[in-house]
Amino acid sequence: MAIQVKNCMEDFVTDLLQQVIKSYPNICTCDQCLSDIAAWALNHLPARYVGTDIGDAYTRLDIYKQEHYAHIIKIIAQAIEVVSQNPHHTIKK
Ligand SMILES: [Zn+2]
């Protein structure tokens, strides 16, 4: 028996982060900062686990994503502001 689950919120966040970040042209977008932003957002959003072998999982997730879209965007925007003000590396000037 193999248990196969994944947290679909990770997909939502990495996906939507690409869009939201375009509104912040002045922040650092190195791999470390992007990972920190995604991690901060995921820590402030509910996990959304699905079994990966469930056929209609993606349909149900689409509905979930639409219903929570505004909230996820808001959390990502907060994550960008928190991380860009406190990057985990020295700011190059
Ligand atoms: Zn950076």
Side-chain angles (χ1 to χ4, degrees), residues 48-67:
R48 190 68 185 174
Y49 283 98
V50 293
T52 51
D53 60 345
I54 298 171
D56 68 344
Y58 285 96
T59 309
R60 288 184 292 113
L61 281 170
D62 245 24
I63 294 165
Y64 180 87
K65 187 178 175 180
Q66 280 162 28
E67 283 175 351

Side-chain angles (χ1 to χ4, degrees), residues 28-30 32-33 89:
C28 178
T29 54
C30 72
Q32 186 179 357
C33 288
H89 56 69

